């Protein structure tokens, strides 16, 4: 079993720059893609950013130039640096990871989410 634990969320002012962290633990052989998703009230969950084990990244158009995703493979941790926050960034942010626990055992895991609320 694998657990993902997010941290760094909370109430911030517009223009703030918090950093979210997500640490994976448990039975892990390797982790391929790690990413961040978000879900606002009344909306579907959407991809914010993702990063491969080799460091390739992609972002939603709404956050390009403002958010940066990175990872520390030695710590099985992914980060989301959020800059110039806007009220429309308010959402629950979820960590996601594609994990190999054995040669033929692959699963996708989700964290429980961390609330980010941006006040104007």
């Amino acid at each position: 079993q694998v657990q993902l634990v997010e941290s760094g969320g909370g109430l911030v002012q517009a223009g703030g720059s918090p950093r979210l962290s997500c640490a994976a633990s448990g039975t892990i052989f390797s982790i391929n893609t790690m990413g961040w998703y978000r879900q606002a009230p009344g909306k579907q969950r959407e991809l914010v950013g993702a990063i491969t084990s080799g460091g390739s990244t992609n972002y939603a158009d709404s956050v390009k130039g403002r958010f940066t995703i990175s990872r520390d493979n030695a710590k099985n941790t992914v980060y989301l640096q959020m800059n110039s926050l806007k009220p429309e960034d308010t959402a629950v942010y979820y960590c996601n990871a594609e994990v190999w626990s054995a040669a033929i055992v692959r699963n996708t895991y989700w964290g429980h989410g961390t609330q980010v609320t941006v006040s104007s």
Side-chain angles (χ1 to χ4, degrees):
Q1 184 70 282
V2 174
Q3 296 81 42
L4 303 180
V5 180
E6 302 103 333
S7 62
L11 177 64
V12 299
Q13 288 189 323
S17 302
R19 187 180 73 158
L20 304 184
S21 298
C22 172
S25 62
T27 306
I28 301 172
F29 179 75
S30 66
I31 303 178
N32 188 22
T33 301
M34 301 186 80
W36 288 95
Y37 290 71
R38 67 184 181 185
Q39 187 167 21
K43 296 184 178 181
Q44 291 188 314
R45 188 173 300 185
E46 65 175 352
L47 174 70
V48 177
I51 183 168
T52 69
S53 60
S56 297
T57 61
N58 69 286
Y59 300 92
D61 288 341
S62 60
V63 306
K64 286 181 179 178
R66 297 191 298 123
F67 293 6
T68 302
I69 191 170
S70 61
R71 65 191 286 172
D72 185 333
N73 291 329
K75 297 181 179 180
N76 289 327
T77 299
V78 62
Y79 306 93
L80 184 69
Q81 178 63 59
M82 309 166 69
N83 298 320
S84 302
L85 282 181
K86 306 174 182 179
E88 51 263 44
D89 293 318
T90 295
V92 177
Y93 285 71
Y94 296 91
C95 179
N96 175 85
E98 182 183 19
V99 180
W100 286 93
S101 298
I104 59 172
V105 180
R106 174 175 58 85
N107 291 108
T108 297
Y109 295 91
W110 294 89
H112 291 302
T114 184
Q115 176 72 48
V116 175
T117 301
V118 184
S119 62
S120 60

